[in-house]
Amino acid sequence: MKKNLKFYIVLYLAKLSRIALKLIGRDATYFPGKLAVTLCPDFLGRIDKPKTIIGVTGTNGKTTVCNMIEDVLKENGYEFIDNHLGSNINSGLATALIEGATLLGKQKKELAVFEIDERSSVKIYPYITPTYLVCTNLFRDSLKRNAHTEFISSILSNNIPSQTTLILNGDDLIVSNLSPNNNRIYFGIDRLKTDTDKCENIVRDITVCPKCDSKLEYDFVRYNHIGRAHCIKCNFQSPKINYEVTNIDFEKMQMTIKSKSEEKYDLINNNIINIYNMLATITVLKELGLNQEQINPILKKQKIVDTRYSKEKEGNIEIITQLAKGMNPIACSRAFDYVRKEEGNKAVFILLDDLHEAANSSENIAWHYDTDYEFLNSESIKQILTGGARYLDTYVRLQIAQIPKEKIVHQREETTLVDKLNLKGIDKIFILHDLYSIDLKNQLKKKVKDKILEQNKQTEN
Amino acid sequence: MDKKIEILFPEFCNLYGDISNMKYLHKCIPKANFIETNFNDEPAFVTQKVDLIYMGPMTEKTQEKVIEKLKPYKQRIEQLIEENTVFLITGNAGEIFGKYIENEDGSKIEALGIFETYAKRNMMHRHNSNFIGKYEEIEIVGFKSQFTLGYGDNQKNYFAEVEKGIGLNEQSKLEGIKKNNFISTYVIGPILILNPEFTKKILEKIGIEEPKLALEEDLKNAYVQRLKELKSL
């Protein structure tokens, strides 16, 4: 697509808006791109793009994978543009491209790393051809926006450019069937001791063969539709994995990845979600030409940002905060699974209200019934404390999961929940929070720490 | 005699936590026989007397498969409706019983044609709204989230009169279909958990006298709060 006069005028306006916003101390990570795509809807097609583009899409893990890719590239001296401060829709990508472009619309850097919202495929891929597109997983997400996985996978398959090499989670049968004619590389994790033969989750979005509609037989199930399967009638099966984790040593916190050879990588933490995120990162970086020595030393220093996960000890009690994205049943179910499998006696705070919805409307709570609250029905979980606009709904949901009333504290006001926290015999306290509840999570965490300190003082006296 | 409840195609027709309706109903009537009919099985209602048939929302491709699956049983379904069998059909599952579903390009998928309504898809514009509608004396609360809108005449056989939100489409104030004990509504998700009085009504319809609900008080508290909240928006 050629640059025309309108394109140049819009480019200059967008660049000027960026300078003006910065001068007045405002955030310029969204507006310039929004202005550009509003005034010139095919702006993304007209602006030059870096020679190599890494795109990362999928329901869960895109931000983490992008952050890891960017850190490894940066430490190895690569220069690139990215949208990590802006949005992951067309205007966010436009902002990054505007910032990276000269006044003639040429890109100053040869590499880009873009997080790409799956729902925005229609507005992005007609104009941007990723060299590599990583897809981490496809699950049910906000039902109001994303509807269901069949819809999301079809808009991805209908829009991903045919020249793009796909880097796909081979343990996700929805992901592994995206754009079947594209060149593809699969990553996956071989059967683990914790995998099962039966699905424990409420939701499994692929149960029949996409080729012949016959029943799919799972060779093993990790969670939801993650696992390996084959069709009982035709030749359809999970793909052959190109980058496969063949062993995880949780004691040494190391994993072995088999591709053309076997290599060891250090784990950042023991959560399977993060192991998948690391594996996706390693796969794309290896395909880009980096080697284990360039990747592992940087990757192992990575810390999951505090807004997603944190762990600290106050006295004898661990306080763990974990992001559990509201309206995202699989992310919440993973968080619940993580809590139940941790050792020790636990108390759990649940703050999953979508505060944006709570402020403007009444949240559609259907997603709570796709979420495995049943995982919280565990002997080791001694108390569950839930607050927020939907506290009465959560109370019902917890009881439908057969959790005894006596274990549940529910009230509208979230921060005073801590007053009802019973620390007796508790080894770990989990605060599960939504993306929009970071401040609330911090307040609660501080109050929990104060309560533990106070109790410890009383014990000493 | 224990009640028989048939859940049609639970492996597909459960997009928005909808199967929780049946799990909850099971808590209310633990002795009832819940039959989960998978897609490759013959529905139980073809050869047996069932007291309630439930089907929840599904993907667009699945709608087409389900229409083909149920076509051979159209007469049987019509007979069951005439005989007052209770049907609870939620989300876009109701479209299966209408005349047709129209795609954006104008092509049509012929449905069972039991009712005069039809649906139009718009896959890039999803409709989301809250809902309050009056069914008999009960104010039903819930949510809609759908790619389709319904059209056609449901004046003589609507399910609920809309107080908040939309009916079959944005111009309609009449929601869903009700004929004898057949009820279909675009409301999705845990409709029975959200609406305790409606759940009692369903239980009465299947022949349970003075039904008792599981967690009744807690459900009522959540219902009262939601109704108040939705009315204030």
Side-chain angles (χ1 to χ4, degrees), chain A residues 92-141:
Chain A
L93 269 66
T95 302
L97 288 165
I98 290 163
E99 196 180 330
T102 65
L103 288 173
L104 291 172
K106 296 259 178 221
Q107 287 298 319
K108 290 177 263 185
K109 293 173 184 167
E110 291 201 333
L111 179 63
V113 181
F114 289 142
E115 177 182 330
I116 303 174
D117 168 57
E118 347 34 299
R119 182 76 163 80
S120 302
S121 304
V122 185
K123 291 180 178 174
I124 292 174
Y125 299 122
Y127 306 120
I128 291 180
T129 301
T131 320
Y132 301 104
L133 181 65
V134 181
C135 189
T136 53
N137 47 58
L138 287 176
F139 289 120
R140 294 186 188 193
D141 200 346

Side-chain angles (χ1 to χ4, degrees), chain A residues 1 37 42-56 81 83 88-98 107 112-116 120-133 159-164:
Chain A
M1 206 174 265
V37 296
D42 55 7
F43 181 85
L44 278 179
R46 295 186 187 277
I47 193 164
D48 281 351
K49 265 74 71 181
K51 201 173 119 196
T52 304
I53 298 174
I54 299 169
V56 181
I81 62 167
N83 60 335
N88 60 8
I89 60 173
N90 58 340
S91 51
L93 269 66
T95 302
L97 288 165
I98 290 163
Q107 287 298 319
V113 181
F114 289 142
E115 177 182 330
I116 303 174
S120 302
S121 304
V122 185
K123 291 180 178 174
I124 292 174
Y125 299 122
Y127 306 120
I128 291 180
T129 301
T131 320
Y132 301 104
L133 181 65
N159 289 285
I160 291 170
S162 58
Q163 308 94 308
T164 295

Side-chain angles (χ1 to χ4, degrees), chain A residues 263-277:
Chain A
E263 292 173 337
K264 288 196 181 343
Y265 288 85
D266 296 287
L267 298 176
I268 304 166
N269 79 5
N270 61 0
N271 190 329
I272 193 74
I273 303 292
N274 288 314
I275 298 173
Y276 269 116
N277 289 340

Side-chain angles (χ1 to χ4, degrees), chain A residues 252-269:
Chain A
K252 288 186 185 163
M253 288 295 279
Q254 263 188 345
M255 64 175 161
T256 307
I257 298 178
K258 189 178 173 191
S259 51
K260 283 168 192 155
S261 58
E262 276 196 350
E263 292 173 337
K264 288 196 181 343
Y265 288 85
D266 296 287
L267 298 176
I268 304 166
N269 79 5

Side-chain angles (χ1 to χ4, degrees), chain A residues 292-349:
Chain A
Q292 195 266 1
E293 290 79 23
Q294 289 173 295
I295 300 168
N296 190 47
I298 297 137
L299 218 46
K300 75 177 187 189
K301 285 190 290 186
Q302 294 285 305
K303 279 197 176 138
I304 300 157
V305 286
D306 244 22
T307 50
R308 290 179 180 260
Y309 177 85
S310 76
K311 182 154 102 173
E312 61 182 285
K313 206 158 189 179
E314 191 63 66
N316 290 325
I317 300 178
E318 259 182 359
I319 307 169
I320 297 149
T321 68
Q322 166 84 46
L323 177 69
K325 272 192 199 167
M327 294 207 189
N328 182 324
I330 283 41
C332 289
S333 297
R334 297 317 307 146
F336 294 168
D337 189 48
Y338 178 62
V339 172
R340 74 167 166 163
K341 286 179 178 162
E342 281 289 291
E343 285 179 3
N345 289 331
K346 294 153 272 189
V348 189
F349 288 89

Side-chain angles (χ1 to χ4, degrees), chain B residues 4-230:
Chain B
K4 211 177 263 184
I5 315 288
E6 180 167 25
I7 308 169
L8 289 178
F9 322 131
E11 74 274 41
F12 294 135
C13 303
N14 174 33
L15 284 186
Y16 313 112
D18 309 274
I19 212 73
S20 62
N21 287 310
M22 293 300 105
K23 286 183 184 167
Y24 175 67
L25 212 60
H26 206 166
K27 281 185 191 292
C28 299
I29 42 171
K31 284 184 180 166
N33 177 14
F34 281 72
I35 304 164
E36 294 196 0
T37 299
N38 285 328
F39 190 74
N40 291 326
D41 302 335
E42 182 184 76
F45 69 73
V46 177
T47 53
Q48 304 174 37
K49 182 194 176 301
V50 292
D51 298 286
L52 168 68
I53 297 167
Y54 173 76
M55 184 160 64
M58 63 201 89
T59 70
E60 289 64 35
K61 275 188 197 163
T62 306
Q63 274 187 312
E64 295 174 29
K65 285 188 211 170
V66 169
I67 289 169
E68 289 311 310
K69 173 85 185 176
L70 293 181
K71 264 184 186 167
Y73 312 121
K74 179 183 168 179
Q75 280 187 336
R76 173 68 178 154
I77 294 169
E78 285 175 323
Q79 182 197 351
L80 291 171
I81 295 171
E82 289 308 318
E83 288 172 359
N84 279 324
T85 299
V86 184
F87 286 73
L88 178 63
I89 310 293
T90 62
N92 66 359
E95 294 167 3
I96 306 288
F97 301 86
K99 279 199 290 190
Y100 60 84
I101 302 164
E102 190 176 317
N103 288 311
E104 288 101 324
D105 63 4
S107 60
K108 288 176 184 166
I109 301 142
E110 295 298 327
L112 297 182
I114 294 172
F115 299 107
E116 285 303 300
T117 48
Y118 57 95
K120 288 184 178 187
R121 285 179 183 159
N122 187 346
M123 296 303 291
M124 291 320 283
H125 294 94
R126 192 160 172 82
H127 169 84
N128 289 295
S129 60
N130 296 316
F131 179 82
I132 307 176
K134 207 154 201 174
Y135 163 66
E136 297 181 358
E137 73 289 3
I138 304 167
E139 287 181 296
I140 306 277
V141 295
F143 320 102
K144 292 188 176 188
S145 192
Q146 60 203 62
F147 286 124
T148 43
L149 289 171
Y151 298 89
D153 189 3
N154 66 339
Q155 284 192 47
K156 288 184 184 149
N157 58 356
Y158 62 87
F159 162 56
E161 220 166 314
V162 178
E163 290 179 15
K164 196 113 193 174
I166 70 164
L168 282 185
N169 57 61
E170 281 153 350
Q171 281 71 48
S172 162
K173 286 290 170 194
L174 300 176
E175 163 57 17
I177 297 284
K178 183 189 170 297
K179 185 180 177 190
N180 299 334
N181 283 331
F182 177 99
I183 291 173
S184 84
T185 172
Y186 272 111
V187 171
I188 59 157
I191 183 171
L192 296 185
I193 297 168
L194 262 49
N195 293 282
E197 288 304 320
F198 177 59
T199 308
K200 276 191 178 173
K201 190 67 92 179
I202 293 285
L203 290 172
E204 282 167 8
K205 279 181 185 293
I206 64 172
I208 294 170
E209 286 171 24
E210 295 180 21
K212 295 266 182 297
L213 297 184
L215 308 170
E216 184 164 347
E217 198 188 328
D218 299 322
L219 258 65
K220 277 185 178 169
N221 290 339
Y223 169 81
V224 168
Q225 191 210 32
R226 174 163 291 102
L227 184 63
K228 194 174 148 196
E229 192 175 297
L230 291 181

